[in-house]
Amino acid sequence: MKAIIYNKYGTAEVLKLKEVEKPTPKDNEVLIKVQAVSVNSWDWELLRGKPFLARLGGLLKPKYKILGADIAGQVEAIGKDVKHLLPGDEVFGDISWCGWGGFAEYACAHENALSLKPASMTFEEAASIPQAAVLALQGLRDNGKIKEGQKVLINGAGGGVGTFALQIAKLYGANVTCVDRAEKLNMLLSLGADQVIDYAQEDFTQKGQSYELILDIVGNRSIFDFNRILNPNGTYIMVGGPLLRILQCLITGPLYSKTSGKKMSILVHKPNRNDQNYLKQLFMAGTVVPVIDKQYPLSKAADAVQYLGEGHAKGKVVIRVEHENDQS
């Protein structure tokens, strides 16, 4: 099969399209004919080995040779212990906890990582949901305990997690302020943002506004800045960011919680099929839908990763996997 391989940390240039052996599913796994896979910030971080936490399990060279966690495709074969899936089923899921490998024509995954794809959902839409939408849902609902009428700030709202978070926050009846690049603001307004801020033109921490809930997706500001605009008893959740910001939150967050009642924490990614299925229902109801900026063929996966890594993506970036024997 064809797959995008990398054997050393580096820029997108180290990603190479190669012929490799088709994987064989274990007893509790299924073999998936991948039709689409989305690109996430984790792919960018694992590619570069930055921040250093991305090297856990592979200090000098990558642990996984094939990136890609959010896949959608058809079940081609099943292991003998698989109970809930059959060959031909159309599925999607986050396979980051069971081996990665989505940037390829075929991938293996534990059956518990996968949800059935509704017929009304394209493979590209399905591949956009698992990691980004689940992170947004868990950050707002589980960690943030979002409530109707709250003032919510989403920092880095224009990417994959942010566009899902905006839609979910509006579904809960929140008043949402979105921070991102100027070229993404009209898209955020079209998704229902109440206020938008171009971070290059305005310092959102100095506007005199405060918020009950802050979802920080990019970690580009100090936790001290966020503390200044967080209401008493408010909640700040860091979804991602550089190692220095993560350490700052880990050290300082508990102190703020004890002294001010403010909750400041880091969201720990927990792949969850139940959450995938809940988001599938929201999609089918038309209340939460993926925003897909660009689609690339598998042969251009390096360009897709580079585009996302540079911060240009308005929503999700998806790789379409075309098979030679597919009918046009």
Side-chain angles (χ1 to χ4, degrees):
M1 69 170 187
K2 292 183 176 65
I4 300 295
I5 304 293
Y6 82 122
N7 293 302
K8 62 181 180 179
Y9 297 115
T11 64
E13 294 178 352
V14 306
L15 295 170
K16 303 297 181 184
L17 181 67
K18 294 186 177 182
E19 289 280 346
V20 298
E21 187 176 350
K22 189 176 177 179
T24 301
K26 298 175 183 176
D27 291 346
N28 57 6
E29 290 183 336
V30 301
L31 175 67
I32 302 156
K33 182 180 182 181
V34 180
Q35 296 291 347
V37 52
S38 70
V39 185
N40 291 296
S41 59
W42 276 19
D43 297 303
W44 176 248
E45 291 167 359
L46 287 171
L47 169 66
R48 298 181 305 144
K50 298 176 182 178
F52 191 75
L53 290 174
R55 296 185 182 231
L56 292 179
L59 185 61
L60 300 179
K61 60 182 181 179
K63 179 180 180 180
Y64 302 109
K65 307 302 182 187
I66 304 175
L67 295 170
D70 287 4
I71 65 169
Q74 294 116 342
V75 175
E76 176 128 324
I78 63 173
K80 68 180 184 66
D81 294 334
V82 172
K83 297 185 174 80
H84 305 294
L85 294 173
L86 295 170
D89 284 345
E90 295 184 345
V91 296
F92 69 102
D94 176 356
I95 62 172
S96 61
W97 62 274
C98 51
W100 294 75
F103 289 2
E105 292 184 306
Y106 294 88
C108 288
H110 195 289
E111 69 167 329
N112 289 343
L114 302 169
S115 299
L116 289 171
K117 182 187 80 65
S120 61
M121 181 186 288
T122 68
F123 286 111
E124 291 79 12
E125 289 169 333
S128 300
I129 289 174
Q131 205 171 107
V134 168
L135 278 169
L137 178 66
Q138 292 176 352
L140 293 172
R141 182 195 63 188
D142 301 342
N143 285 44
K145 311 297 182 187
I146 188 170
K147 297 179 178 64
E148 184 177 358
Q150 281 187 323
K151 293 181 66 176
V152 175
L153 176 81
I154 303 174
N155 184 35
V161 176
T163 49
F164 280 115
L166 167 57
Q167 294 177 76
I168 293 168
K170 294 304 297 180
L171 188 62
Y172 274 86
N175 182 288
V176 185
T177 298
C178 293
V179 182
D180 214 303
R181 299 182 183 212
E183 63 265 27
K184 302 184 184 184
L185 301 187
N186 285 336
M187 178 266 293
L188 293 168
L189 286 170
S190 73
L191 290 174
D194 296 285
Q195 295 86 30
V196 293
I197 298 173
D198 174 5
Y199 70 82
Q201 297 297 322
E202 296 183 83
D203 184 347
F204 63 91
T205 71
Q206 299 287 346
K207 288 175 65 66
Q209 299 293 323
S210 60
Y211 304 90
E212 282 90 13
L213 176 57
I214 298 173
L215 194 69
D216 183 14
I217 299 167
V218 291
N220 61 348
R221 298 296 298 260
S222 164
I223 194 171
F224 306 111
D225 292 334
F226 286 110
N227 177 64
R228 186 166 57 246
I229 62 172
L230 187 63
N231 280 3
N233 301 313
T235 300
Y236 164 87
I237 301 147
M238 174 181 279
V239 178
L243 182 58
L244 178 61
R245 300 296 190 205
I246 293 171
L247 292 174
Q248 190 181 66
C249 187
L250 286 172
I251 295 168
T252 310
L255 296 176
Y256 279 131
S257 298
K258 287 182 179 180
T259 58
S260 67
K262 299 177 181 181
K263 301 178 182 65
M264 310 188 85
S265 62
I266 297 172
L267 178 63
V268 178
H269 176 55
K270 299 175 183 176
N272 187 304
R273 187 171 62 178
N274 289 334
D275 287 344
Q276 284 177 186
N277 288 330
Y278 173 66
L279 289 156
K280 178 172 71 173
Q281 296 302 317
L282 295 181
F283 172 89
M284 294 172 69
T287 52
V288 174
V289 297
V291 176
I292 299 175
D293 181 3
K294 288 192 176 185
Q295 299 183 31
Y296 294 79
L298 183 63
S299 60
K300 299 293 184 181
D303 294 338
V305 175
Q306 184 68 29
Y307 180 72
L308 179 128
E310 291 174 351
H312 298 304
K314 299 174 184 176
K316 294 292 297 181
V317 176
V318 176
I319 294 168
R320 290 177 287 101
V321 183
E322 298 174 346
H323 298 258
E324 291 181 359
N325 58 349
D326 285 348
Q327 297 296 316
S328 58

